[in-house]
Amino acid sequence: MPVISVPFDFNEEELYVDLEPIFGHSLFLKCEGFNFAGSIKLKAATQMVEAAEWHGLLKPDSILVESSSGNLGVALSMVAASKGYRFLCVTDSRCNLASRRLMEALGSRVHVISQPAGSGGFLGARLDLVRGLCAADDRYVWLNQYANPANWRAHYQTTAPEIARQFPELDVLFVGAGTTGTLMGCARYFREWPRPVRVIAVDSAGSVTFGGEPGRRMIPGLGTSVRPPLLDERYVDEVIVVEEADTIRSCHRLARSGFLFGGSTGTVVSGAMRWLPEHEGRDLTAVAIAPDLGERYLDTIYQSNWLHDLYGDEVLDEDELIAGLRLD
């Protein structure tokens, strides 16, 4: 039995969901939400903090600071609490309330940006605040998940080899693009793999990551309003852009089969299910990465009033709604 003394020593590596019975196309979903931080971001958080320690950047009076839409903030809160550091998360109004409460429960401070920057949107405003804090007080240490190579190395060393061990005949991998740490780590690893693996990035409509036009994005996790410095498109074979309404439909379809996943997973699955039918006729081994579970989204993508207010009454049929059903 596993016995641990620090929370980041445990992560379920080998759990996959076969989505063919639900969607009709063969796809194995790697579940990354079964750790004490509840998401794949625990890997990057641990690696970035330990890299900062190794480089001597963290001192007894240091205050970790990071911009996050939720999951990395929770993961860093957990790592910081375990290691005895203070942590300030700079987020914005799209961050799920559950994530903010988790961070505060773990002893972190949370600063919520309420207005986007003139250029760069909410992310630009978050980054401006982080840079200002670091310039004004040298106790602040910014890990900078958007440019920190420890972010992608975490997945090069863990996530990608975990997939390779379970699926040595892998043909195609679908990875959501946020900071692009997971994407770049997996893509770099499989570029060196003995057999060709097609790595497909899945992005949200309204994201500028791959050069798209900026637009409204209400579901945190994937997409950016500032191109991530980590991104190297030479390692990406294809990009699929998914509308948020399709993300929501995929999440609810999974939930109606008993699997409650987060918005990033809905986006990745939606993108994969658009791609796979176009490549039928080949015996493909396909895997997608599910970054987190769905409990933190109960007040948003699984709440009917929130859905209707933002996406209209037709985003889901009445019999597709998971929460907020009227029985009268």
Side-chain angles (χ1 to χ4, degrees), residues 244-302:
E244 286 191 333
D246 292 325
T247 291
I248 290 162
R249 293 182 186 106
S250 290
C251 285
H252 280 256
R253 189 166 179 180
L254 285 162
R256 286 180 65 83
S257 295
F259 294 105
L260 198 70
F261 284 104
S264 298
T265 300
T267 303
V268 174
V269 170
S270 179
M273 290 305 162
R274 186 195 310 167
W275 189 91
L276 288 168
E278 298 173 357
H279 296 80
E280 284 180 333
R282 297 177 55 195
D283 187 16
L284 293 173
T285 298
V287 170
I289 297 175
D292 63 1
L293 302 178
E295 290 91 340
R296 295 174 193 173
Y297 303 83
L298 291 177
D299 292 331
T300 54
I301 60 177
Y302 295 109

Side-chain angles (χ1 to χ4, degrees), residues 23-260:
F23 289 93
H25 301 285
S26 179
L27 180 68
F28 298 99
L29 189 63
K30 187 180 195 304
C31 300
E32 288 283 351
F34 293 97
N35 57 53
F36 285 96
S39 82
I40 196 170
K41 292 292 188 178
L42 184 59
K43 294 174 174 178
T46 304
Q47 186 98 340
M48 289 192 296
V49 170
E50 293 184 345
E53 290 175 329
W54 190 84
H55 288 292
L57 300 177
L58 293 175
K59 301 175 177 60
D61 65 342
S62 292
I63 305 170
L64 291 168
V65 61
E66 186 55 84
S67 159
S68 169
S69 61
N71 281 339
L72 183 72
V74 173
L76 281 173
S77 295
M78 184 166 291
V79 174
S82 177
K83 289 177 171 285
Y85 295 116
R86 288 178 290 174
F87 172 55
L88 169 63
C89 180
V90 179
T91 188
D92 60 61
S93 53
R94 296 170 301 177
C95 177
N96 294 321
L97 180 59
S99 296
R100 287 158 51 188
R101 288 178 172 170
L102 277 168
M103 288 185 263
E104 291 168 345
L106 291 162
S108 299
R109 289 188 296 139
V110 181
H111 183 96
V112 181
I113 296 288
S114 58
Q115 295 295 326
S119 61
F122 280 107
L123 177 55
R126 281 158 38 185
L127 296 180
D128 287 345
L129 178 61
V130 171
R131 294 187 184 102
L133 289 170
C134 294
D137 188 337
D138 61 10
R139 292 178 301 166
Y140 284 103
V141 176
W142 181 24
L143 297 173
N144 194 0
Q145 61 165 327
Y146 310 98
N148 192 329
N151 186 347
W152 69 259
R153 287 191 186 116
H155 303 287
Y156 180 91
Q157 294 170 1
T158 61
T159 309
E162 290 161 10
I163 295 170
R165 282 195 294 272
Q166 298 301 317
F167 297 93
E169 301 300 313
L170 181 68
D171 294 299
V172 57
L173 177 66
F174 298 93
V175 188
T179 65
T180 68
T182 306
L183 174 64
M184 287 293 95
C186 292
R188 281 183 163 91
Y189 182 90
F190 284 111
R191 183 61 60 90
E192 302 167 2
W193 192 241
R195 57 177 283 123
V197 174
R198 193 169 185 83
V199 176
I200 298 179
V202 184
D203 197 12
S204 299
S207 168
V208 305
T209 300
F210 295 95
E213 288 295 319
R216 186 188 76 164
R217 290 179 296 108
M218 300 304 299
I219 301 173
L222 299 186
T224 62
S225 52
V226 177
R227 180 182 168 92
L230 288 179
L231 177 62
D232 186 341
E233 292 187 60
R234 295 175 298 176
Y235 291 94
V236 178
D237 295 297
E238 192 172 339
V239 178
I240 298 174
V241 177
V242 174
E243 298 286 343
E244 286 191 333
D246 292 325
T247 291
I248 290 162
R249 293 182 186 106
S250 290
C251 285
H252 280 256
R253 189 166 179 180
L254 285 162
R256 286 180 65 83
S257 295
F259 294 105
L260 198 70

Side-chain angles (χ1 to χ4, degrees), residues 6-27:
V6 291
F8 47 86
D9 273 353
F10 173 78
N11 188 68
E12 171 55 59
E13 301 177 353
E14 298 181 355
L15 179 62
Y16 293 79
V17 177
D18 181 359
L19 295 185
E20 187 167 15
I22 302 173
F23 289 93
H25 301 285
S26 179
L27 180 68

